[in-house]
Amino acid sequence: MFTRTILFRLVYLTALCLPLGTPALAGDVQVAVAANFTEPAKEIAAAFEKKTGDHVVMSFGSSGAFYSQIQQGAPFEVFLSADAERPTRLEAENLGVKGSRFVYAYGTLALWSATPGLVDNKGAVLKKGNFQHIAIADPAAAPYGLAAVETMKKLGLYDALSPKIVRGSSIAQTYGFIDSGSAELGFVALSQVYKQNKGSRWNVPAAFYTLIDQQAILLAPGANDPAAKAYIAFLKSPEAVKIIKSYGYAVH
Amino acid sequence: MTDLASALHVTVLLATVTTLSLLVIATPIGWWLSRNRSLFKDIVTAVVALPIVLPPTVLGFYLLVAMGPKSPLMDLLHPFGIRTLNFSFAGLVIGSIIYSLPFAIQPIRNAFESLGQRPFDVAATLRATPLDTFFTVALPMARKGFLTAALLVFAHTVGEFGVVLMIGGAIPGKTEVVSIRIWQLVEQLDWPNAHRLAGGLLIFAFIVLLSLLLIDRRWSQRHD
């Protein structure tokens, strides 16, 4: 009878766990943030909340995952993507507000290791190959993962390194793989390691990969929300730009 | 399509290895739990049931740490040239064994318990040794429990996602299982292939559950 009992119990437990959607309250801004921008986004939200009294509710993940979710009606009001492609598509699909797109940061790719001295400042370690695992973000979902693949291809090392590549579902998980030492090194966003002196890194030259122009877009659910519009405006303010630059991003 | 095939291959291999390992591991534990009445037994029961309650992220997190290069456990493996078990098939097997442990132990234990004391008393009067009794009386009589355990573990391992996501690293042909592949296909907006794999898993899960219920029905009819 165990089978039946456990089946019924499972069904019952599942029913208990059905999520109840919580719509954004007035004065709340729901923001989907690409994982590489996690730390500056928190700082910007704190400054924004202090200034306006509005509350920022943030979700962090890969740009690809957010794009799929927004397509399926996720209630995000603002999307801070790690690329230009996904916001452009959302605008074309009328899921984003026309004309609200802009580049909030230009990202830099970094090859990073938690071990001091492992990564040299020219990336020659990739050729030496004296490691078992190199972590990247899933290239299909995370622009920094794509940039990592482009870099390895440009160096002519992609085929040689392929068996050693482990993929994180977002750049944040990739960072975790490297930080814990499970992967000896890997490609992350410069912003994730910019403020620390731990380990060793190589800032990959811009010529090695397609420009990472990270765009923000106001999404349809936030089109008429003053708080969402205020948040977008704040993102362009000198105060926010200063925070963004402090993580190693370029802003034009 | 080759990466779909390789994801299927890894999944089936992982589920098979996990099922076989767990049948071996869960048998002595299930036996011991069914023959024993003490407070200590309750503690062990609670421990082996933990994976049902804990989110896969908790297991995944502990496994990531325990199988990482800084773990004292991995120090024992360093002499063999193994730095970490994360991102390896062996690591996934260990994770799956822990994750599905309760699904193996419970049915086996219940099957042993339902045998009662009588068969063992009879065997003893026929001068069978305890080991003899176990292999020629207990195991054959409890075979329904083993079948249930095998099906549940196999299905549960195929349905695994969170633990693999946290320790796997999505290496095609090595640690990229079907559930991870589906997640990536959805992120890539490759819906036709996502549909194909998801639909396949749906049918598979239904067949497993239906067979469990049919086994249950056949057995209860036979014993009523």
Side-chain angles (χ1 to χ4, degrees):
Chain A
M1 261 1 280
F2 169 75
T3 319
R4 246 169 239 274
T5 332
I6 199 167
L7 280 184
F8 287 133
R9 212 172 282 168
L10 284 176
V11 170
Y12 177 68
L13 283 175
T14 314
L16 278 183
C17 303
L18 287 177
L20 301 167
T22 41
L25 301 169
D28 271 9
V29 193
Q30 294 233 326
V31 187
V33 182
N36 77 86
F37 202 65
T38 302
E39 290 310 315
K42 284 183 191 162
E43 234 180 273
I44 290 168
F48 175 72
E49 285 174 359
K50 207 168 151 192
K51 199 168 171 180
T52 62
D54 292 330
H55 185 54
V56 184
V57 184
M58 288 178 285
S59 306
F60 305 99
S62 77
S63 300
F66 281 134
Y67 177 68
S68 306
Q69 290 168 9
I70 292 164
Q71 274 209 323
Q72 296 308 309
F76 299 118
E77 297 171 280
V78 176
F79 177 31
L80 305 186
S81 183
D83 64 1
E85 187 194 335
R86 288 177 174 91
T88 308
R89 275 201 253 168
L90 288 170
E91 186 179 42
E93 289 157 354
N94 283 323
L95 293 166
V97 176
K98 292 242 181 299
S100 67
R101 266 188 313 124
F102 70 100
V103 179
Y104 63 92
Y106 291 91
T108 301
L109 183 70
L111 180 66
W112 180 65
S113 169
T115 313
L118 182 69
V119 176
D120 55 286
N121 58 11
K122 287 200 171 62
V125 61
L126 292 175
K127 199 158 211 169
K128 264 196 277 171
N130 51 339
F131 47 85
Q132 284 176 1
H133 298 294
I134 176 165
I136 67 170
D138 180 7
Y144 284 91
L146 189 64
V149 171
E150 286 175 349
T151 301
M152 288 185 278
K153 282 187 174 160
K154 187 104 178 174
L155 291 165
L157 295 169
Y158 183 66
D159 290 333
L161 290 172
S162 278
K164 296 181 174 178
I165 293 177
V166 295
R167 287 180 283 165
S169 60
S170 73
I171 199 72
Q173 194 190 15
T174 308
Y175 175 86
F177 283 162
I178 308 165
D179 189 55
S180 67
S182 287
E184 294 98 317
L185 74 172
F187 286 99
V188 294
L190 175 63
S191 55
Q192 293 175 295
V193 292
Y194 193 69
K195 288 197 173 179
Q196 52 167 289
N197 292 316
K198 191 178 159 184
S200 49
R201 75 162 194 254
W202 171 49
N203 296 349
V204 183
F208 284 70
Y209 53 91
T210 313
L211 180 71
I212 302 176
D213 45 348
Q214 306 192 187
Q215 289 198 347
I217 186 166
L218 183 64
L219 299 168
N224 297 313
D225 180 5
K229 286 181 191 166
Y231 177 81
I232 289 267
F234 186 75
L235 208 52
K236 298 175 184 171
S237 73
E239 194 179 350
V241 167
K242 197 177 151 203
I243 296 173
I244 296 171
K245 282 184 171 165
S246 78
Y247 283 88
Y249 293 100
V251 182
H252 297 320
Chain B
M1 283 319 89
T2 50
D3 44 345
L4 293 189
S6 84
L8 271 172
H9 175 247
V10 174
T11 305
V12 171
L13 193 65
L14 178 66
T16 308
V17 174
T18 304
T19 306
L20 295 177
S21 316
L22 265 179
L23 287 180
V24 174
I25 295 167
T27 303
I29 302 177
W31 172 256
W32 179 75
L33 286 173
S34 72
R35 298 284 112 189
N36 213 309
R37 300 242 160 256
S38 66
L39 176 66
F40 185 57
K41 186 185 97 162
D42 288 340
I43 296 171
V44 174
T45 305
V47 170
V48 298
L50 278 176
I52 292 186
V53 181
L54 287 176
T57 39
V58 172
L59 288 181
F61 171 65
Y62 282 135
L63 284 166
L64 191 68
V65 174
M67 302 197 299
K70 289 170 198 160
S71 149
L73 287 174
M74 286 305 108
D75 286 346
L76 302 173
L77 295 178
H78 284 174
F80 306 101
I82 296 169
R83 254 185 85 253
T84 170
L85 283 174
N86 292 325
F87 320 130
S88 72
F89 185 76
L92 287 197
V93 171
I94 293 171
S96 305
I97 285 175
I98 296 172
Y99 181 61
S100 289
L101 193 64
F103 293 85
I105 288 181
Q106 268 304 337
I108 292 176
R109 174 194 172 168
N110 286 359
F112 282 142
E113 270 175 356
S114 68
L115 298 182
Q117 193 49 43
R118 212 181 121 69
F120 301 99
D121 293 343
V122 173
T125 50
L126 295 171
R127 302 193 176 200
T129 62
L131 203 64
D132 238 4
T133 314
F134 178 74
F135 281 107
T136 56
V137 178
L139 279 191
M141 285 183 80
R143 61 190 184 278
K144 182 207 162 193
F146 284 93
L147 190 59
T148 308
L151 274 169
L152 275 177
V153 168
F154 193 91
H156 197 233
T157 307
V158 170
E160 202 176 328
F161 175 70
V163 174
V164 182
L165 185 73
M166 289 186 74
I167 64 172
I171 306 171
K174 233 168 106 192
T175 63
E176 191 185 68
V177 297
V178 171
S179 58
I180 298 284
R181 186 79 204 133
I182 293 175
W183 152 267
Q184 284 174 344
L185 290 170
V186 172
E187 286 198 331
Q188 295 161 25
L189 299 174
D190 185 350
W191 296 51
N193 277 323
H195 268 304
R196 209 166 298 160
L197 273 182
L201 274 196
L202 188 68
I203 294 167
F204 165 79
F206 175 72
I207 290 173
V208 170
L209 292 178
L210 191 64
S211 357
L212 279 171
L213 292 170
L214 289 178
I215 292 169
D216 210 37
R217 173 190 290 261
R218 250 191 81 186
W219 241 279
S220 32
Q221 275 170 355
R222 196 184 289 174
H223 292 286
D224 280 348

mmCIF file of all heavy atoms in Angstrom, chain A residues 2-3 6-7 10, chain B residues 19 22 100 102-104 106-107 145-159 208-209 212:
data_model
loop_
_atom_site.group_PDB
_atom_site.id
_atom_site.type_symbol
_atom_site.label_atom_id
_atom_site.label_comp_id
_atom_site.label_asym_id
_atom_site.label_seq_id
_atom_site.Cartn_x
_atom_site.Cartn_y
_atom_site.Cartn_z
ATOM 1 N N PHE A 2 2.175 1.018 0.205
ATOM 2 C CA PHE A 2 3.076 2.174 0.317
ATOM 3 C C PHE A 2 2.982 3.070 -0.918
ATOM 4 O O PHE A 2 2.921 4.285 -0.824
ATOM 5 C CB PHE A 2 4.508 1.688 0.498
ATOM 6 C CG PHE A 2 5.524 2.784 0.354
ATOM 7 C CD1 PHE A 2 5.694 3.711 1.354
ATOM 8 C CD2 PHE A 2 6.255 2.913 -0.814
ATOM 9 C CE1 PHE A 2 6.602 4.729 1.210
ATOM 10 C CE2 PHE A 2 7.161 3.932 -0.965
ATOM 11 C CZ PHE A 2 7.341 4.836 0.051
ATOM 12 N N THR A 3 2.912 2.394 -2.082
ATOM 13 C CA THR A 3 2.899 3.151 -3.338
ATOM 14 C C THR A 3 1.740 4.133 -3.379
ATOM 15 O O THR A 3 1.904 5.318 -3.628
ATOM 16 C CB THR A 3 2.750 2.176 -4.515
ATOM 17 O OG1 THR A 3 3.558 1.047 -4.239
ATOM 18 C CG2 THR A 3 3.163 2.820 -5.794
ATOM 19 N N ILE A 6 2.080 6.966 -0.813
ATOM 20 C CA ILE A 6 3.049 8.023 -1.119
ATOM 21 C C ILE A 6 2.567 8.850 -2.299
ATOM 22 O O ILE A 6 2.753 10.066 -2.330
ATOM 23 C CB ILE A 6 4.464 7.441 -1.375
ATOM 24 C CG1 ILE A 6 5.496 8.553 -1.223
ATOM 25 C CG2 ILE A 6 4.584 6.850 -2.755
ATOM 26 C CD1 ILE A 6 6.897 8.086 -1.149
ATOM 27 N N LEU A 7 1.872 8.226 -3.237
ATOM 28 C CA LEU A 7 1.355 8.985 -4.376
ATOM 29 C C LEU A 7 0.356 10.038 -3.920
ATOM 30 O O LEU A 7 0.441 11.201 -4.276
ATOM 31 C CB LEU A 7 0.683 8.048 -5.388
ATOM 32 C CG LEU A 7 1.645 7.301 -6.308
ATOM 33 C CD1 LEU A 7 0.879 6.489 -7.319
ATOM 34 C CD2 LEU A 7 2.557 8.287 -7.025
ATOM 35 N N LEU A 10 2.036 12.779 -2.068
ATOM 36 C CA LEU A 10 2.751 13.691 -2.962
ATOM 37 C C LEU A 10 1.792 14.660 -3.626
ATOM 38 O O LEU A 10 2.049 15.852 -3.700
ATOM 39 C CB LEU A 10 3.511 12.893 -4.029
ATOM 40 C CG LEU A 10 4.790 12.213 -3.557
ATOM 41 C CD1 LEU A 10 5.392 11.371 -4.672
ATOM 42 C CD2 LEU A 10 5.805 13.234 -3.086
ATOM 43 N N THR B 19 19.978 3.285 -9.596
ATOM 44 C CA THR B 19 19.031 2.262 -9.157
ATOM 45 C C THR B 19 19.766 1.021 -8.647
ATOM 46 O O THR B 19 19.475 0.524 -7.554
ATOM 47 C CB THR B 19 18.094 1.871 -10.324
ATOM 48 O OG1 THR B 19 17.491 3.060 -10.831
ATOM 49 C CG2 THR B 19 17.016 0.916 -9.858
ATOM 50 N N LEU B 22 21.531 1.744 -5.382
ATOM 51 C CA LEU B 22 20.621 1.925 -4.253
ATOM 52 C C LEU B 22 19.989 0.604 -3.813
ATOM 53 O O LEU B 22 19.726 0.407 -2.627
ATOM 54 C CB LEU B 22 19.539 2.949 -4.596
ATOM 55 C CG LEU B 22 19.875 4.369 -4.132
ATOM 56 C CD1 LEU B 22 18.781 5.332 -4.512
ATOM 57 C CD2 LEU B 22 20.125 4.429 -2.627
ATOM 58 N N SER B 100 17.715 10.027 -3.824
ATOM 59 C CA SER B 100 16.662 9.018 -3.969
ATOM 60 C C SER B 100 16.667 7.967 -2.870
ATOM 61 O O SER B 100 15.879 7.027 -2.911
ATOM 62 C CB SER B 100 16.790 8.324 -5.332
ATOM 63 O OG SER B 100 16.431 9.209 -6.358
ATOM 64 N N PRO B 102 15.483 7.697 0.217
ATOM 65 C CA PRO B 102 14.225 7.304 0.856
ATOM 66 C C PRO B 102 13.314 6.497 -0.061
ATOM 67 O O PRO B 102 12.575 5.634 0.413
ATOM 68 C CB PRO B 102 13.559 8.632 1.217
ATOM 69 C CG PRO B 102 14.363 9.702 0.604
ATOM 70 C CD PRO B 102 15.663 9.150 0.171
ATOM 71 N N PHE B 103 13.405 6.746 -1.363
ATOM 72 C CA PHE B 103 12.531 6.044 -2.300
ATOM 73 C C PHE B 103 12.959 4.593 -2.482
ATOM 74 O O PHE B 103 12.198 3.782 -2.992
ATOM 75 C CB PHE B 103 12.513 6.767 -3.650
ATOM 76 C CG PHE B 103 11.860 8.112 -3.565
ATOM 77 C CD1 PHE B 103 12.581 9.227 -3.165
ATOM 78 C CD2 PHE B 103 10.518 8.252 -3.841
ATOM 79 C CE1 PHE B 103 11.973 10.461 -3.054
ATOM 80 C CE2 PHE B 103 9.897 9.486 -3.738
ATOM 81 C CZ PHE B 103 10.630 10.595 -3.335
ATOM 82 N N ALA B 104 14.179 4.279 -2.073
ATOM 83 C CA ALA B 104 14.629 2.891 -2.115
ATOM 84 C C ALA B 104 14.371 2.209 -0.775
ATOM 85 O O ALA B 104 13.887 1.085 -0.713
ATOM 86 C CB ALA B 104 16.116 2.834 -2.456
ATOM 87 N N GLN B 106 12.294 2.964 1.856
ATOM 88 C CA GLN B 106 10.925 2.797 2.348
ATOM 89 C C GLN B 106 10.222 1.540 1.814
ATOM 90 O O GLN B 106 9.765 0.717 2.608
ATOM 91 C CB GLN B 106 10.088 4.044 2.043
ATOM 92 C CG GLN B 106 10.075 5.083 3.147
ATOM 93 C CD GLN B 106 9.600 4.531 4.485
ATOM 94 O OE1 GLN B 106 8.890 3.527 4.552
ATOM 95 N NE2 GLN B 106 10.013 5.154 5.569
ATOM 96 N N PRO B 107 10.142 1.351 0.494
ATOM 97 C CA PRO B 107 9.425 0.160 0.003
ATOM 98 C C PRO B 107 10.089 -1.139 0.439
ATOM 99 O O PRO B 107 9.395 -2.106 0.771
ATOM 100 C CB PRO B 107 9.502 0.293 -1.527
ATOM 101 C CG PRO B 107 9.920 1.678 -1.806
ATOM 102 C CD PRO B 107 10.636 2.194 -0.610
ATOM 103 N N GLY B 145 8.655 -5.284 -2.981
ATOM 104 C CA GLY B 145 9.272 -4.075 -2.441
ATOM 105 C C GLY B 145 10.463 -3.636 -3.275
ATOM 106 O O GLY B 145 10.671 -2.448 -3.513
ATOM 107 N N PHE B 146 11.232 -4.622 -3.749
ATOM 108 C CA PHE B 146 12.401 -4.284 -4.557
ATOM 109 C C PHE B 146 11.990 -3.718 -5.914
ATOM 110 O O PHE B 146 12.592 -2.777 -6.418
ATOM 111 C CB PHE B 146 13.283 -5.525 -4.750
ATOM 112 C CG PHE B 146 14.068 -5.859 -3.519
ATOM 113 C CD1 PHE B 146 13.575 -6.763 -2.578
ATOM 114 C CD2 PHE B 146 15.283 -5.237 -3.268
ATOM 115 C CE1 PHE B 146 14.284 -7.037 -1.431
ATOM 116 C CE2 PHE B 146 15.997 -5.522 -2.120
ATOM 117 C CZ PHE B 146 15.491 -6.429 -1.193
ATOM 118 N N LEU B 147 10.942 -4.302 -6.484
ATOM 119 C CA LEU B 147 10.460 -3.813 -7.775
ATOM 120 C C LEU B 147 9.965 -2.367 -7.637
ATOM 121 O O LEU B 147 10.292 -1.492 -8.441
ATOM 122 C CB LEU B 147 9.340 -4.729 -8.278
ATOM 123 C CG LEU B 147 8.896 -4.510 -9.718
ATOM 124 C CD1 LEU B 147 10.082 -4.697 -10.661
ATOM 125 C CD2 LEU B 147 7.774 -5.473 -10.075
ATOM 126 N N THR B 148 9.171 -2.134 -6.593
ATOM 127 C CA THR B 148 8.674 -0.776 -6.346
ATOM 128 C C THR B 148 9.830 0.192 -6.150
ATOM 129 O O THR B 148 9.865 1.279 -6.733
ATOM 130 C CB THR B 148 7.782 -0.747 -5.089
ATOM 131 O OG1 THR B 148 6.794 -1.766 -5.215
ATOM 132 C CG2 THR B 148 7.105 0.591 -4.923
ATOM 133 N N ALA B 149 10.804 -0.220 -5.330
ATOM 134 C CA ALA B 149 11.954 0.648 -5.057
ATOM 135 C C ALA B 149 12.696 0.964 -6.350
ATOM 136 O O ALA B 149 13.032 2.125 -6.616
ATOM 137 C CB ALA B 149 12.894 -0.021 -4.059
ATOM 138 N N ALA B 150 12.924 -0.071 -7.170
ATOM 139 C CA ALA B 150 13.676 0.139 -8.408
ATOM 140 C C ALA B 150 12.955 1.119 -9.326
ATOM 141 O O ALA B 150 13.558 2.053 -9.863
ATOM 142 C CB ALA B 150 13.900 -1.188 -9.120
ATOM 143 N N LEU B 151 11.638 0.935 -9.482
ATOM 144 C CA LEU B 151 10.874 1.827 -10.354
ATOM 145 C C LEU B 151 10.877 3.262 -9.831
ATOM 146 O O LEU B 151 11.089 4.212 -10.576
ATOM 147 C CB LEU B 151 9.431 1.327 -10.484
ATOM 148 C CG LEU B 151 9.184 0.277 -11.566
ATOM 149 C CD1 LEU B 151 7.804 -0.330 -11.403
ATOM 150 C CD2 LEU B 151 9.321 0.903 -12.953
ATOM 151 N N LEU B 152 10.651 3.394 -8.518
ATOM 152 C CA LEU B 152 10.600 4.743 -7.936
ATOM 153 C C LEU B 152 11.944 5.447 -8.063
ATOM 154 O O LEU B 152 12.008 6.612 -8.437
ATOM 155 C CB LEU B 152 10.206 4.664 -6.455
ATOM 156 C CG LEU B 152 8.709 4.601 -6.139
ATOM 157 C CD1 LEU B 152 8.500 4.464 -4.636
ATOM 158 C CD2 LEU B 152 7.989 5.851 -6.644
ATOM 159 N N VAL B 153 13.019 4.729 -7.766
ATOM 160 C CA VAL B 153 14.345 5.347 -7.821
ATOM 161 C C VAL B 153 14.694 5.733 -9.251
ATOM 162 O O VAL B 153 15.173 6.846 -9.518
ATOM 163 C CB VAL B 153 15.420 4.400 -7.243
ATOM 164 C CG1 VAL B 153 16.815 4.916 -7.561
ATOM 165 C CG2 VAL B 153 15.234 4.251 -5.748
ATOM 166 N N PHE B 154 14.432 4.818 -10.173
ATOM 167 C CA PHE B 154 14.744 5.109 -11.577
ATOM 168 C C PHE B 154 13.987 6.370 -12.022
ATOM 169 O O PHE B 154 14.563 7.314 -12.569
ATOM 170 C CB PHE B 154 14.364 3.915 -12.458
ATOM 171 C CG PHE B 154 14.926 3.992 -13.846
ATOM 172 C CD1 PHE B 154 16.164 3.429 -14.134
ATOM 173 C CD2 PHE B 154 14.232 4.636 -14.861
ATOM 174 C CE1 PHE B 154 16.696 3.505 -15.414
ATOM 175 C CE2 PHE B 154 14.770 4.723 -16.148
ATOM 176 C CZ PHE B 154 15.999 4.148 -16.414
ATOM 177 N N ALA B 155 12.690 6.396 -11.732
ATOM 178 C CA ALA B 155 11.861 7.526 -12.162
ATOM 179 C C ALA B 155 12.276 8.820 -11.466
ATOM 180 O O ALA B 155 12.377 9.880 -12.079
ATOM 181 C CB ALA B 155 10.396 7.228 -11.877
ATOM 182 N N HIS B 156 12.547 8.722 -10.163
ATOM 183 C CA HIS B 156 12.925 9.903 -9.392
ATOM 184 C C HIS B 156 14.247 10.480 -9.893
ATOM 185 O O HIS B 156 14.436 11.698 -9.937
ATOM 186 C CB HIS B 156 13.039 9.506 -7.911
ATOM 187 C CG HIS B 156 13.027 10.668 -6.971
ATOM 188 N ND1 HIS B 156 13.995 10.856 -6.022
ATOM 189 C CD2 HIS B 156 12.181 11.702 -6.834
ATOM 190 C CE1 HIS B 156 13.739 11.954 -5.342
ATOM 191 N NE2 HIS B 156 12.637 12.490 -5.812
ATOM 192 N N THR B 157 15.178 9.586 -10.288
ATOM 193 C CA THR B 157 16.464 10.061 -10.795
ATOM 194 C C THR B 157 16.289 10.736 -12.156
ATOM 195 O O THR B 157 16.919 11.760 -12.428
ATOM 196 C CB THR B 157 17.464 8.892 -10.904
ATOM 197 O OG1 THR B 157 17.511 8.225 -9.639
ATOM 198 C CG2 THR B 157 18.845 9.381 -11.271
ATOM 199 N N VAL B 158 15.437 10.160 -13.000
ATOM 200 C CA VAL B 158 15.162 10.803 -14.291
ATOM 201 C C VAL B 158 14.554 12.189 -14.053
ATOM 202 O O VAL B 158 14.820 13.140 -14.777
ATOM 203 C CB VAL B 158 14.207 9.931 -15.140
ATOM 204 C CG1 VAL B 158 13.728 10.691 -16.371
ATOM 205 C CG2 VAL B 158 14.906 8.651 -15.563
ATOM 206 N N GLY B 159 13.746 12.308 -12.987
ATOM 207 C CA GLY B 159 13.079 13.571 -12.693
ATOM 208 C C GLY B 159 13.926 14.552 -11.915
ATOM 209 O O GLY B 159 13.460 15.618 -11.535
ATOM 210 N N VAL B 208 5.524 4.901 -15.754
ATOM 211 C CA VAL B 208 6.101 4.413 -14.497
ATOM 212 C C VAL B 208 5.045 4.389 -13.390
ATOM 213 O O VAL B 208 4.879 3.387 -12.689
ATOM 214 C CB VAL B 208 7.293 5.291 -14.068
ATOM 215 C CG1 VAL B 208 7.725 4.949 -12.650
ATOM 216 C CG2 VAL B 208 8.456 5.112 -15.022
ATOM 217 N N LEU B 209 4.302 5.476 -13.259
ATOM 218 C CA LEU B 209 3.302 5.550 -12.193
ATOM 219 C C LEU B 209 2.204 4.515 -12.395
ATOM 220 O O LEU B 209 1.774 3.844 -11.462
ATOM 221 C CB LEU B 209 2.696 6.960 -12.126
ATOM 222 C CG LEU B 209 3.668 8.037 -11.653
ATOM 223 C CD1 LEU B 209 3.025 9.403 -11.666
ATOM 224 C CD2 LEU B 209 4.176 7.712 -10.252
ATOM 225 N N LEU B 212 3.415 1.140 -11.437
ATOM 226 C CA LEU B 212 3.457 0.991 -9.975
ATOM 227 C C LEU B 212 2.078 0.612 -9.446
ATOM 228 O O LEU B 212 1.933 -0.297 -8.626
ATOM 229 C CB LEU B 212 3.915 2.296 -9.329
ATOM 230 C CG LEU B 212 5.407 2.548 -9.325
ATOM 231 C CD1 LEU B 212 5.702 3.964 -8.861
ATOM 232 C CD2 LEU B 212 6.103 1.544 -8.420
#
